Amino acid sequence: MTEDTIKRRARGLDRAFDILDFLKEIGQPLRPNDIANGIGSPKSTVYELVASLLERRILEPVGKDGHVYLGRQLYFLGQAHLRHFDLSREADHALQEIVSQTRETAQMCLLNGRKYTVALMKEGERHFRISSDIGENAPIPWTASGRLLLAHFSDQQISDLIDPDDFILPDGERLPMETFLAEIRQAGIDGFFSFDSVADTFTHCFAAPVKDPQGVAICTLCIVAPRADAKNNYNDYRRVLIESANSLARRINE
C-alpha cells in the first residue's frame, strides 16, 4: 500500500467520523446532500461514504426520501465497549452513591475532542430536575469540569485546543484567557472546582477529578445543585464529591 493510498484512506476515515458526529449533533435523520453541506465536504465523497456506512449498518435508512441516521450497529459497539470499560461501570456506582448522600444530580464528565460532554448522569432524589443531555457537547470554558480536565495541559496546549469563540459565555461576555488559565492552575492544586453555572441562573456546579496513576484527570465527577442548596450544603457536597472521585480512582487504578 502506497503512502498516498494510506493518506487517502485516513482522510476518508476522518470524513466518515465527521458524518457520524454531525448526525449526532443535529439529532435527526438527514439526506446525504444536507450532510455534505453541513460538514463542508464534497457531495460525491459524502454519498460514497454514506453508502459504505449503510452497508456496514453504521448508518440506517429512515423513511422513503433518502434520509439516513445513526444505525443500530453503533448501539452494539457501544454495549461491547461498556462491557469491557471498567470506568463506566464503576462510575455508575459512584454517581448513585453521590445521589444517595446528597439527593442532588450527579454526573461523570469527559473531554470529547475540543469539547466537554456529560457521559453519565443520575438524577437527584428531589422534585428539582437538571436538564442536561448525555453526550451533548459544550464549550470547555463554560464548565467547572473543564478547569480540572485541562490541568495537565500547558498554557499553549490549552490555547491551541479551545476554539476562541468558546470563550464567549452565554451572556455574551468573553472569558479572558488569563482568568481561565489561572482558574485551571488553582483547580489543579485544589483537586476541586465549583462555580455558579454560566449556562443558567439557578444551579451551582461542583467538580472533582478522577485521576490515573500518573495524576492526569481522565474524567470528573460532578454535582449540579440549586444555588441555595449548594450554598447551604457546600462543605458536605465538596467532601462527598472529592471522596467519591478519589475512591473511584483507587478502584479503576488497582
Side-chain angles (χ1 to χ4, degrees):
M1 187 180 298
T2 66
E3 184 175 348
D4 286 343
T5 300
I6 294 173
K7 289 182 178 179
R8 187 168 61 253
R9 290 189 174 184
R11 287 194 296 271
L13 184 60
D14 285 340
R15 289 297 188 188
F17 278 110
D18 287 342
I19 291 170
L20 299 178
D21 286 340
F22 184 66
L23 285 171
K24 179 178 75 71
E25 291 175 7
I26 296 299
Q28 63 183 28
L30 294 172
R31 295 186 181 92
N33 185 55
D34 297 322
I35 296 173
N37 291 333
I39 66 174
S41 184
K43 295 177 183 178
S44 59
T45 299
V46 170
Y47 273 95
E48 182 179 349
L49 288 170
V50 165
S52 180
L53 293 170
L54 285 168
E55 182 180 349
R56 289 164 174 77
R57 295 181 298 158
I58 300 298
L59 295 179
E60 290 185 354
V62 178
K64 300 180 179 179
D65 296 323
H67 290 74
V68 299
Y69 196 60
L70 304 176
R72 68 193 67 186
Q73 185 64 18
L74 293 172
Y75 170 80
F76 295 126
L77 291 172
Q79 290 300 305
H81 168 72
L82 289 175
R83 285 195 298 272
H84 295 277
F85 190 37
D86 289 340
L87 176 58
S88 289
R89 292 199 305 272
E90 294 293 343
D92 188 76
H93 297 310
L95 297 183
Q96 189 59 59
E97 182 61 25
I98 291 171
V99 172
S100 70
Q101 292 189 57
T102 67
R103 301 181 63 238
E104 305 291 0
T105 294
Q107 301 172 338
M108 182 188 79
C109 304
L110 304 164
L111 291 182
N112 183 18
R114 303 175 70 187
K115 302 291 183 178
Y116 151 99
T117 191
V118 177
L120 294 172
M121 182 169 69
K122 293 290 184 183
E123 290 280 6
E125 297 175 353
R126 56 163 71 239
H127 294 302
F128 179 85
R129 287 290 179 267
I130 302 297
S131 176
S132 181
D133 292 331
I134 293 176
E136 182 177 354
N137 289 330
I140 297 171
W142 294 17
T143 69
S145 291
R147 275 73 174 170
L148 296 159
L149 293 168
L150 298 182
H152 64 290
F153 282 50
S154 69
D155 289 0
Q156 187 60 53
Q157 287 174 323
I158 294 169
S159 178
D160 292 342
L161 176 70
I162 299 177
D163 188 319
D165 287 344
D166 284 356
F167 287 98
I168 301 175
L169 303 177
D171 62 3
E173 294 292 322
R174 176 176 285 275
L175 175 67
M177 173 65 82
E178 295 77 11
T179 301
F180 186 57
L181 292 175
E183 290 173 346
I184 289 172
R185 300 308 169 212
Q186 190 60 51
I189 293 171
D190 296 340
F192 174 81
F193 189 82
S194 81
F195 69 170
D196 286 341
S197 172
V198 300
D200 60 59
T201 59
F202 52 87
T203 61
H204 188 90
C205 303
F206 301 76
V210 178
K211 296 182 179 181
D212 67 12
Q214 287 71 48
V216 173
I218 55 177
C219 69
T220 59
L221 298 184
C222 308
I223 292 174
V224 185
R227 290 185 182 181
D229 295 290
K231 182 178 179 179
N232 292 334
N233 299 285
Y234 188 91
N235 290 332
D236 284 341
Y237 289 2
R238 184 180 189 275
R239 174 187 56 79
V240 168
L241 195 61
I242 292 175
E243 289 178 354
S244 296
N246 290 340
S247 177
L248 174 58
R250 287 193 295 272
R251 294 198 301 276
I252 64 175
N253 290 329
E254 287 179 348

